[in-house]
Amino acid sequence: MKNFWITGSVAGFVFGALVCCGYAELTLDPLFTSKMVLQRNRPVAVYGTANAGDTVTVEFAPVSGPGQAGQVKTAVADSSRHWKVFLDPMPASTKPWKMTIRSSTDPLPQEFDDVLVGDVWLCAGQSNMASVMKNYPALKDDIREMNNGLVRLFKTKHEGVGCAELSDVVVPGAALRGSWQALSPEFAAEFSATACFFGRALQPQAGVPVGLLYANRGGTQVNMWLPLDVMQRKPELYGRFLDRSWPEWTPRPQGNPGAVRAPSYLYNGTIHPLIRYAIRGAIWYQGESDAMFAGDYPAMIKDLIGSWREAWGYEFPFLCVQLAPYGAVVWDNSGESWAWQREAQMAALDLPKTELAVITDAGEFKDIHPQNKRPVGERLALLAASLDDPSVPARSPVMQSVRFQQGKAGVTFSNTEDGLEVRRLSMNRNERMRPGDDPEAFVVPADVLSGFEICGKDRHFKRAQAVLTGPDTVCVWSDEVPSPVAVRYGWANFPLCNLYNSVGLPASPFRSDSFEMPDFSAMPDFEESAFGSQYSKQLVGDHFDETLSGWRKSSPDLRVEQLDGRLGIYLPNGKNESLLSTGQADSGKRFRVQTDLKVLSPRVWGGVVFNCTSPNDYYVFRFCSGTVQAQFIHYINKSPRVLQSFESSKPFAANTVYRMEVLARPNDPYGDGAYLFKVINPAAQETLLRGARIDFGGGMPGGAAGCYIGTPSTRSFFTYDHFIFDVE
């Protein structure tokens, strides 16, 4: 039977005619369509609506040929017009079946063809599960290869449905025409890339049809996918989210329409409508948006798994994805928040029937949505296949014990299969490229075991050397740490670690210590000596001469004037502009920018610009006169991204000269920039502000520097007395 849509006045006419004839239309939940997959080896609920008191008959039978016998089940619609029957548990079937549903007062039966029986997997989480194949340039060839008639796809509304109350209404997504569809290039392009690779790999391994249920929204936290009553019972854990001052309670046209991101709303509107449909298990890719709550995540993910299992009524397998490497976690000054989150995700393994896919080799430095989704789906598929066949090697190496002896750490791993291996690792720095195509990719050769670090009692971790000493053991040491007390592996947002087992599954990051989690927002404690004090050349002299030689305007609209022997700049039109040096610091070199600003007006922004490589890519350190506010900003295409906000010890007062200074150096091993900022009142010999920041993912320092004005006006709000730009 062909599926079709009836809309507008036609639908109203049909419904009205049915009512006039004394019956209401027999309906089924939108999950029931032709080409669906029903769960094998479990009672399968079939449900919908009809006239109250009507007898509904569900017949499920093979289309042709000998084999399994069909089933006929009946139910009576209750006073709310709902009915439900349960089909007896069935073995898997790759042969098509037909489902026919009749009502005692409705002459029009519902018929669904090409129905298969196999394993149904709920595919849920945030953007790395939600992102569809066509959004990844590197997957164009893979889309063309997505053909398997025994893998079926059903997509709920893209970006999910949020409801304030529990809902039973499934809202299908339009991209798959509101129906189950067979895996093909046309529909794979509109479906989760992670889930498509999972289904395509799992089906031949499991030998049964596979159904994939899509229920996702990007940028979401666990609290949005949890039942409200679960959170209300634990105010110490969820109180911050349930407080109505939490920003996600406020609807926003962009990002939060209808408060879809409010706590429990996605559970109510996206997950709860699915709980009557029998599934084999769930694959879950989420955690990026909860990394700032890594200390609470173990309890939250356990609550999610437990509450979903309770809602379905049985303990189904729950397969999670550990976060991929990512270098541009802009809110994190420690560089290791995602390492703590990966450890938190491991806590899910405390529950029965849970597994974790490790993908420390499938990240990208600048892209939170890495292109390489194949290993993600395929490793989830191995875990799913091992449910039926425990001999399938599906688990990554996990640290079992650490022994310290004679200045070295001996680490023992489980899940090594035929032994540990060191493999070549390559992950892209830049975005939207095929894995391996980036000329700036991070590469670790196969003859170097990378990713270990070690510390002594001072808790200062040093990069360590490591070698394989047996099929399941590694020896780790550092000449800088003669008496180690702790060892870590892959402990960074973007770790470069290349330890595998013999079947190519990467080892999970770990730490042997029980040290406290750091404050991720705390500014790094850089010493000025780390930035060096010797510079080989001065690109700009101490003072501005009248001809402004060595300088250029970022825009013809920028105005320059002399006021009491000082240089003033102002901008009649636009948002921000700069007076830039013609000389530039080479990429990856240390530099120092220093200037004296005199404040002439309150509540205006001014400062210095640096790392200016084009009119659309530059950095600014600025403060707002009359306040204590200062900011470190990266402007991309004239759009500001605030990397760090600072507060001075005193307001920046009018008619006062302040010395601003920026020190910059590359941050090993990734080559992004590390910066130290200062604002001093020279007359009072007082430091008002000192701060630091690593711009993870922002690229190496280098480019032009200059004077910045961020408030349009018809006169100068700041004047500059001197400007120093020294480079390595």
Side-chain angles (χ1 to χ4, degrees):
M1 175 184 176
K2 293 183 178 180
N3 293 318
F4 57 91
W5 300 95
I6 300 177
T7 59
S9 59
V10 176
F13 173 79
V14 171
F15 180 77
L18 292 170
V19 171
C20 290
C21 293
Y23 55 80
E25 183 179 8
L26 172 68
T27 66
L28 276 87
D29 189 281
L31 283 168
F32 295 92
T33 75
S34 293
K35 301 180 183 177
M36 64 182 158
V37 178
L38 300 181
Q39 180 57 44
R40 61 170 170 152
N41 302 333
R42 295 202 67 85
V44 172
V46 183
Y47 43 93
T49 60
N51 270 334
D54 278 6
T55 298
V56 177
T57 301
V58 177
E59 180 181 358
F60 190 57
V63 173
S64 62
Q68 298 167 230
Q71 300 185 41
V72 177
K73 303 292 182 180
T74 61
V76 176
D78 62 21
S79 58
S80 64
R81 300 183 56 239
H82 292 94
W83 59 267
K84 178 166 63 175
V85 303
F86 283 94
L87 300 177
D88 298 331
M90 300 168 283
S93 174
T94 59
K95 301 291 181 64
W97 287 54
K98 182 175 183 177
M99 181 180 288
T100 305
I101 306 96
R102 295 181 175 85
S103 168
S104 56
T105 62
D106 190 339
L108 301 176
Q110 297 278 344
E111 296 179 336
F112 303 125
D113 299 317
D114 194 14
V115 179
L116 303 178
V117 182
D119 285 342
V120 180
W121 286 90
L122 176 63
C123 310
Q126 59 178 106
S127 52
N128 272 305
M129 183 68 82
S131 296
V132 300
M133 290 199 75
K134 69 179 183 181
N135 287 349
Y136 294 98
L139 300 183
K140 288 181 180 179
D141 292 340
D142 294 284
I143 291 174
R144 289 192 287 268
E145 296 173 359
M146 286 291 170
N147 277 297
N148 188 331
L150 297 180
V151 177
R152 305 291 174 85
L153 317 175
F154 187 93
K155 187 173 184 179
T156 61
K157 181 185 176 184
H158 193 69
E159 292 296 310
V161 176
C163 292
E165 305 292 337
L166 290 174
S167 172
D168 291 326
V169 179
V170 172
V171 181
L176 271 62
R177 303 173 191 165
S179 177
W180 285 89
Q181 302 289 352
L183 180 65
S184 67
E186 176 187 0
F187 297 115
E190 304 289 346
F191 205 76
S192 161
T194 296
C196 283
F197 282 115
F198 168 76
R200 188 180 71 171
L202 175 60
Q203 192 283 313
Q205 293 182 76
V208 302
V210 172
L212 305 176
L213 268 175
Y214 176 108
N216 303 278
R217 184 177 178 87
T220 49
Q221 299 168 332
V222 164
N223 69 82
M224 303 168 188
W225 299 99
L226 273 169
L228 182 60
D229 62 331
V230 171
M231 293 188 284
Q232 288 174 331
R233 291 195 295 267
K234 297 182 177 181
E236 73 285 355
L237 184 59
Y238 299 107
R240 76 185 106 192
F241 308 119
L242 297 179
D243 190 301
R244 290 292 172 150
S245 65
W246 185 251
E248 303 302 352
W249 288 104
T250 303
R252 300 184 301 276
Q254 297 295 323
N256 196 24
V260 64
R261 294 168 49 84
S264 81
Y265 273 39
L266 283 163
Y267 174 81
N268 293 342
T270 302
I271 299 301
H272 190 266
L274 306 176
I275 65 174
R276 292 171 291 176
Y277 199 84
I279 61 174
R280 177 65 189 276
I283 57 174
W284 173 257
Y285 194 164
Q286 187 273 342
E288 299 92 338
S289 293
D290 278 313
M292 62 190 66
F293 308 118
D296 293 332
Y297 194 81
M300 294 192 294
I301 189 61
K302 290 177 182 179
D303 282 344
L304 182 134
I305 295 170
S307 62
W308 286 20
R309 287 172 170 175
E310 182 179 359
W312 260 269
Y314 53 95
E315 193 175 74
F316 56 78
F318 202 96
L319 315 181
C320 303
V321 180
Q322 197 175 53
L323 295 187
Y326 173 54
V329 185
V330 296
W331 52 267
D332 173 25
N333 280 322
S334 73
E336 60 182 53
S337 61
W338 279 34
W340 292 89
Q341 180 69 337
R342 293 185 192 105
E343 180 183 71
Q345 292 176 307
M346 293 281 288
L349 300 180
D350 295 341
L351 299 178
K353 298 184 180 179
T354 56
E355 300 287 355
L356 188 70
V358 178
I359 55 169
T360 50
D361 54 351
E364 293 181 24
F365 192 79
K366 291 186 177 181
D367 198 342
I368 200 171
H369 305 121
Q371 301 283 312
N372 197 11
K373 289 295 187 288
R374 180 193 293 267
V376 186
E378 291 182 350
R379 289 170 190 171
L380 286 169
L382 286 173
L383 293 169
S386 71
L387 298 172
D388 288 334
D389 183 359
S391 69
V392 173
R395 292 164 187 83
S396 284
V398 175
M399 184 272 287
Q400 286 296 292
S401 65
V402 177
R403 181 182 180 185
F404 296 98
Q405 189 174 18
Q406 297 179 344
K408 297 182 179 181
V411 186
T412 301
F413 291 84
S414 61
N415 304 330
T416 60
E417 301 304 326
D418 292 333
L420 294 170
E421 297 180 0
V422 182
R423 298 193 175 194
R424 181 182 183 273
L425 173 72
S426 176
M427 289 190 291
N428 289 356
R429 171 189 290 275
N430 298 302
E431 301 176 65
R432 302 180 71 78
M433 293 184 180
R434 293 176 182 272
D437 283 359
D438 184 2
E440 298 182 12
F442 297 93
V443 177
V444 181
D447 59 352
V448 176
L449 178 49
S450 175
F452 286 92
E453 55 186 12
I454 203 164
C455 80
K457 291 182 179 179
D458 61 1
R459 299 189 178 186
H460 292 161
F461 280 91
K462 303 293 184 179
R463 198 179 310 175
Q465 296 173 274
V467 295
L468 303 182
T469 53
D472 60 354
T473 55
V474 175
C475 180
V476 184
W477 76 97
S478 169
D479 294 340
E480 299 182 71
V481 185
S483 300
V485 301
V487 60
R488 291 178 174 181
Y489 173 74
W491 206 258
N493 293 339
F494 189 79
L496 298 173
C497 45
N498 60 340
L499 181 64
Y500 292 76
N501 63 17
S502 59
V503 296
L505 297 176
S508 179
F510 72 86
R511 63 187 178 113
S512 68
D513 60 87
S514 57
F515 303 158
E516 291 184 358
M517 187 182 301
D519 178 358
F520 302 136
S521 63
M523 288 183 289
D525 186 19
F526 288 144
E527 297 292 336
E528 288 193 39
S529 60
F531 292 83
S533 58
Q534 300 298 317
Y535 298 94
S536 61
K537 55 184 175 179
Q538 192 176 72
L539 293 183
V540 178
D542 234 357
H543 294 275
F544 301 93
D545 62 32
E546 293 184 1
T547 64
L548 290 178
S549 65
W551 294 92
R552 60 185 174 86
K553 297 178 181 180
S554 63
S555 166
D557 294 332
L558 190 69
R559 302 290 188 265
V560 180
E561 61 182 352
Q562 295 286 333
L563 294 174
D564 298 328
R566 302 171 63 89
L567 180 75
I569 61 174
Y570 61 95
L571 180 68
N573 302 299
K575 294 183 178 180
N576 67 86
E577 293 294 348
S578 306
L579 183 66
L580 294 167
S581 63
T582 54
Q584 299 193 28
D586 293 336
S587 177
K589 299 296 185 180
R590 296 181 299 111
F591 66 76
R592 175 180 66 153
V593 174
Q594 186 187 92
T595 192
D596 285 356
L597 289 81
K598 183 176 182 180
V599 176
L600 302 182
S601 299
R603 302 288 175 176
V604 292
W605 289 96
V608 294
V609 61
F610 51 97
N611 290 355
C612 184
T613 56
S614 79
N616 297 317
D617 191 350
Y618 54 93
Y619 290 69
V620 166
F621 175 43
R622 69 180 191 173
F623 65 73
C624 184
S625 57
T627 76
V628 296
Q629 300 176 55
Q631 295 176 328
F632 172 36
I633 299 176
H634 186 186
Y635 279 92
I636 303 177
N637 295 323
K638 296 291 186 178
S639 297
R641 183 177 67 161
V642 178
L643 301 177
Q644 188 74 51
S645 295
F646 307 99
E647 287 190 2
S648 67
S649 58
K650 296 179 180 178
F652 300 108
N655 298 313
T656 304
V657 175
Y658 296 98
R659 177 162 295 164
M660 301 187 74
E661 185 173 64
V662 178
L663 301 177
R665 64 170 174 81
N667 176 52
D668 292 333
Y670 308 121
D672 37 22
Y675 302 93
L676 183 65
F677 306 96
K678 290 191 293 183
V679 180
I680 299 170
N681 183 334
Q685 296 185 336
E686 181 180 16
T687 299
L688 301 180
L689 183 155
R690 186 182 188 278
R693 173 74 198 210
I694 298 174
D695 179 24
F696 293 106
M700 291 186 288
C707 309
Y708 163 90
I709 187 70
T711 305
S713 67
T714 56
R715 61 184 178 88
S716 296
F717 289 149
F718 296 90
T719 58
Y720 296 80
D721 187 31
H722 80 278
F723 195 98
I724 295 175
F725 186 20
D726 293 336
V727 300
E728 185 178 21

